[in-house]
Amino acid sequence: MAKLIAKTYGEALFETALEKKKIDEMYEEAQGIQAVLSENPKLVRLFNHPNIIKEEKLQVVEAVFASRLSQEMTGFLRIVIEKGRQNELDGIFDWFIAKVKEHKKIGIAYVTSAAALSDRQKNQVEKKLLATTAYEAFEIHFSVDESLIGGLVIRIGDRVVDSSIKSRLYEMRKELMKIQLN
């Protein structure tokens, strides 16, 4: 249910940004709101508190955000609170930000290696990803997992390319288990 809510509201926000030709501005605002909410857990608790009426929550939105955000984003926040969906704000903005990145052809990749990669190796990975995908730019998150032994595991969305030695050894083991000795 939460994913459906995030998608529905995130899509509405994205369509508004497209229609108003304010994708970049609203993208930055969404990131800013997420930062404010993550840095201020008391504000999140206030928005989610069942004993605080909607009108008071709307006054807080006006006081905190109205002078800093576009009318479209402030209006969007008002609608979310009026509909009682403020507890889904983080998911809504996550969905919206991902949709904007997809629209701008910015891929998000998670690259795991057995050892830390040098800057040169990271650049080579990025060049290879740009050459083999339809994306024009990448936001790459690198991490290390020594259990891979060697190679890389690359995840973009729901696609995974696993060229790790750990994976190859596992596949070899499966094949060897199939062989029956006489």
Side-chain angles (χ1 to χ4, degrees):
M1 180 76 166
K3 285 186 179 183
L4 180 61
I5 292 168
K7 181 179 188 255
T8 302
Y9 282 82
E11 184 69 34
L13 184 59
F14 179 75
E15 292 299 324
T16 301
L18 266 180
E19 182 182 307
K20 301 285 184 176
K21 296 182 176 30
K22 292 186 170 184
I23 287 186
D24 291 333
E25 178 184 343
M26 291 177 77
Y27 171 76
E28 288 177 21
E29 288 178 343
Q31 288 179 315
I33 293 168
Q34 275 193 316
V36 167
L37 294 176
S38 71
E39 293 168 7
N40 298 292
K42 288 181 181 178
L43 182 61
V44 174
R45 281 197 305 272
L46 179 134
F47 282 149
N48 294 330
H49 199 284
N51 293 336
I52 298 176
I53 60 173
K54 288 180 185 176
E55 289 73 21
E56 290 176 2
K57 293 175 185 179
L58 292 170
Q59 288 173 352
V60 170
V61 166
E62 288 295 323
V64 174
F65 295 111
S67 64
R68 296 174 178 94
L69 300 175
S70 65
Q71 289 180 327
E72 293 82 10
M73 188 61 81
T74 306
F76 177 77
L77 288 174
R78 273 192 229 106
I79 289 170
V80 170
I81 289 173
E82 286 170 1
K83 298 291 183 183
R85 301 297 190 190
Q86 62 275 1
N87 59 333
E88 302 294 335
L89 275 173
D90 201 43
I92 292 168
F93 287 130
D94 283 344
W95 199 94
F96 171 73
I97 288 167
K99 183 80 172 171
V100 169
K101 287 180 181 179
E102 192 70 31
H103 177 74
K104 295 175 138 231
K105 296 188 183 258
I106 300 171
I108 301 171
Y110 297 88
V111 178
T112 307
S113 58
L117 299 176
S118 68
D119 288 340
R120 189 175 138 268
Q121 290 170 319
K122 289 178 181 179
N123 288 334
Q124 287 176 329
V125 168
E126 184 174 14
K127 284 180 186 175
K128 187 70 170 176
L129 290 175
L130 289 170
T132 57
T133 64
Y135 294 110
E136 294 174 2
F138 266 99
E139 181 181 299
I140 304 176
H141 304 275
F142 292 96
S143 62
V144 174
D145 179 359
E146 293 177 1
S147 73
L148 296 180
I149 304 170
L152 299 173
V153 177
I154 301 172
R155 183 173 62 85
I156 302 171
D158 59 354
R159 295 177 301 191
V160 176
V161 176
D162 187 345
S163 65
S164 68
I165 293 175
K166 176 182 178 179
S167 173
R168 290 180 186 173
L169 288 172
Y170 176 76
E171 292 300 320
M172 286 172 58
R173 180 175 176 249
K174 276 182 24 182
E175 290 300 316
L176 289 172
M177 296 294 276
K178 290 179 186 177
I179 299 174
Q180 292 185 3
L181 298 173
N182 291 335

